[in-house]
């Protein structure tokens, strides 16, 4: 089937696909909480879930040391699900990149996923698919005086999510699978702190371009469109309105042309390089020189979520099924690709899961600054 034929078929079957995609999203594409024989339990009360903080891998016994706090030393946030006696507790975890301490910010039957840092590292935004006040993008803030987390606050309702914050905190990009299947939307933050009118930056069509990442200039956003990598230049007016959008393909004519399908993306902090999850591996595309784009395979493990360290020397990545690892990059070789010095487990998930016991780790995001 050609791309035009596929696009026409997608349009004609949009409503059926939307329903199937919405229900299969957490399980098939992202395989976030549910795995092995786990059976989720649902909370239909809609009540605000309690916030919690725990130290180490297990809760402290009564009278033990005080729990760990969410401090500025903790620079990686990730999602974790823990199944005990068949009951699943879903958590958002902040931890040091040395994997030495952690603070569990959120533990409940509410379905949470894809946590990301705010621009200043003082808040965490995440997607809720079930519970609280309904599906949408939520945030928790850290109190610098007590290192405690605020109650979760709804930013705006949406069916979908995968939030991505611009480095300057002025914009948020996300996927809305209900409004338009697989499209990416952007909101600019207005002077009063509210999120402005959502703008569909482009119909990403059959590629289901859900993943995206901001450049350090907070104007350019990279995403997939019809199996290619596209950079959008988004020009806001500073008052919650986006004035114009332009796009440039950076894979057309290269070795990955037409081969990218909804994989995770992460833009480097200090250069125009993007790491792409393209099964079965992680790839890096360097487009600092648009006339000479370099494509490199970094690792054979790919398809989850990735994020660069602030100095671009490492990439934290979580596989669809597996551990969260940190890849260390070395000097650039003669072919223009960096050497991979190490790819080590940072946060491990259970070596064996049953229907009543399991621990899974997913979707890491490294603090930008």
């Amino acid at each position: 089937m050609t791309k035009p034929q596929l696009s026409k078929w997608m349009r004609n079957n949009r409503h059926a696909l939307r329903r199937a995609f919405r229900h299969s999203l957490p399980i098939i594409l992202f395989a976030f909480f549910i795995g092995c024989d786990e059976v989720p339990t649902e909370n239909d009360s809609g009540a605000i879930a309690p916030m919690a903080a725990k130290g180490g891998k297990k809760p402290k016994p009564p009278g033990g040391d005080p729990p760990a706090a969410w401090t500025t030393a903790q620079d990686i946030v990730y999602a974790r699900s823990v199944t005990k006696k068949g009951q699943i507790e879903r958590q958002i975890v902040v931890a040091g990149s040395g994997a030495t301490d952690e603070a569990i910010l959120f533990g409940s039957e509410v379905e949470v996923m894809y946590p990301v840092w705010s621009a200043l590292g003082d808040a965490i935004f995440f997607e809720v698919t079930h519970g609280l006040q309904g599906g949408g993008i939520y945030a928790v803030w850290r109190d610098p005086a007590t290192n405690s987390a605020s109650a979760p606050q709804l930013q705006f309702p949406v069916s979908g999510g995968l939030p991505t914050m611009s480095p300057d905190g002025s914009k948020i990009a996300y996927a809305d699978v209900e409004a338009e299947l697989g499209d990416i939307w952007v909101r600019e933050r207005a002077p009063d702190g509210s999120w402005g009118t959502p703008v569909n930056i482009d119909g990403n069509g059959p590629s289901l371009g859900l993943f995206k990442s901001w450049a350090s200039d907070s104007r350019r956003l990279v995403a997939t469109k019809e199996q290619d990598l596209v950079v959008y230049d988004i020009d806001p007016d500073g008052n919650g309105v986006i004035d114009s959008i332009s796009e440039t393909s950076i894979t057309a004519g290269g070795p990955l042309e037409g081969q990218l399908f909804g994989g995770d993306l992460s833009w480097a902090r200090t250069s125009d390089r993007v790491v792409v999850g393209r099964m079965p591996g992680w790839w890096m595309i360097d487009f600092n020189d648009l006339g000479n784009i370099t494509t490199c395979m970094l690792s054979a493990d790919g398809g989850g979520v990735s994020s660069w360290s602030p100095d671009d020397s490492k990439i934290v990545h979580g596989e669809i099924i597996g551990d969260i690892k940190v890849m260390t990059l070395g000097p650039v070789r003669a072919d223009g690709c960096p050497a991979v010095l190490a790819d080590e487990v940072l946060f491990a998930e259970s070596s064996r899961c049953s229907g009543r016991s399991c621990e899974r780790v997913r979707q890491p995001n490294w603090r930008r600054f």
Side-chain angles (χ1 to χ4, degrees):
M1 183 180 293
T2 65
K3 287 183 181 179
Q5 290 173 327
L6 181 59
S7 298
K8 181 178 179 181
W9 183 87
M10 293 281 287
R11 288 193 299 271
N12 292 339
N13 294 273
R14 179 180 299 277
H15 295 294
L17 283 169
R18 184 179 295 158
R19 290 193 300 270
F21 183 76
R22 184 169 64 249
H23 292 296
S24 64
L25 178 67
I27 300 173
I28 298 175
L29 285 182
F30 310 122
F32 169 51
F33 292 116
I34 312 303
C36 303
D37 297 318
E38 292 178 300
V39 179
T41 57
E42 294 188 346
N43 176 11
D44 294 324
S45 66
I48 296 293
M51 306 300 294
K54 303 176 184 176
K57 291 295 181 184
K58 297 180 179 179
K60 294 287 185 181
D65 295 334
W70 172 14
T71 69
T72 56
Q74 293 163 330
D75 51 3
I76 290 178
V77 61
Y78 65 96
R80 184 167 73 191
S81 67
V82 179
T83 303
K84 295 180 179 179
K85 297 181 179 180
Q87 300 296 311
I88 301 176
E89 182 179 79
R90 299 169 173 90
Q91 305 163 347
I92 291 176
V93 182
V94 290
S97 53
T100 54
D101 63 345
E102 62 182 17
I104 299 175
L105 300 180
F106 195 92
S108 72
E109 294 178 353
V110 175
E111 296 181 30
V112 293
M113 57 180 65
Y114 293 100
V116 295
W117 289 104
S118 66
L120 299 177
D122 60 347
I124 294 169
F125 291 76
F126 53 94
E127 172 186 344
V128 171
T129 60
H130 178 84
L132 296 184
Q133 301 170 50
I137 305 300
Y138 288 74
V140 293
W141 273 265
R142 170 182 171 268
D143 183 340
T146 64
N147 290 336
S148 61
S150 71
Q153 300 174 21
L154 175 65
Q155 303 301 293
F156 48 85
V158 64
S159 177
L162 287 78
T164 306
M165 300 295 299
S166 64
D168 65 0
S170 68
K171 292 181 287 296
I172 186 170
Y174 59 96
D176 189 336
V177 299
E178 180 66 29
E180 197 72 19
L181 182 67
D183 282 3
I184 293 174
W185 298 69
V186 174
R187 292 178 186 242
E188 187 191 9
R189 176 158 275 178
D192 64 359
S194 64
W195 292 105
T197 303
V199 175
N200 183 350
I201 64 170
D202 195 71
N204 289 290
S207 66
L208 301 178
L210 301 177
F211 292 100
K212 59 273 171 203
S213 182
W214 292 98
S216 58
D217 58 18
S218 294
R219 277 188 55 140
R220 292 175 297 160
L221 184 77
V222 65
T224 50
K225 179 182 179 182
E226 295 182 345
Q227 290 79 57
D228 276 307
L229 208 61
V230 173
V231 173
Y232 299 96
D233 191 316
I234 302 169
D235 184 18
D237 67 358
N239 294 303
V241 178
I242 293 172
D243 287 343
S244 64
I245 302 168
S246 62
E247 66 177 67
T248 303
S249 175
I250 58 174
T251 52
L256 294 182
E257 180 179 14
Q259 299 185 46
L260 302 179
F261 182 85
D264 176 67
L265 307 168
S266 183
W267 200 314
R269 314 312 200 205
T270 59
S271 64
D272 286 347
R273 292 182 295 168
V274 173
V275 62
V276 180
R278 175 183 175 271
M279 295 296 288
W282 287 106
W283 294 72
M284 190 199 75
I285 300 174
D286 187 332
F287 54 99
N288 288 278
D289 179 3
L290 289 177
N292 184 28
I293 295 176
T294 303
T295 301
C296 313
M297 185 173 182
L298 297 177
S299 169
D301 295 326
V305 172
S306 63
S307 180
W308 295 76
S309 64
D311 63 359
D312 288 341
S313 67
K314 297 180 180 181
I315 297 171
V316 62
H317 60 100
E319 310 308 325
I320 291 179
I321 300 293
D323 305 321
I324 291 177
K325 299 180 180 180
V326 170
M327 185 186 308
T328 302
L329 303 181
V332 175
R333 305 186 304 248
D335 60 359
C337 298
V340 177
L341 302 181
D343 195 15
E344 302 171 323
V345 174
L346 182 59
F347 306 112
E349 73 170 37
S350 300
S351 59
R352 194 177 88 178
C353 287
S354 69
R356 301 185 62 80
S357 177
C358 191
E359 181 173 314
R360 298 200 178 281
V361 292
R362 296 288 183 271
Q363 303 148 3
N365 184 263
W366 212 315
R367 189 195 302 260
R368 288 192 73 98
F369 303 110

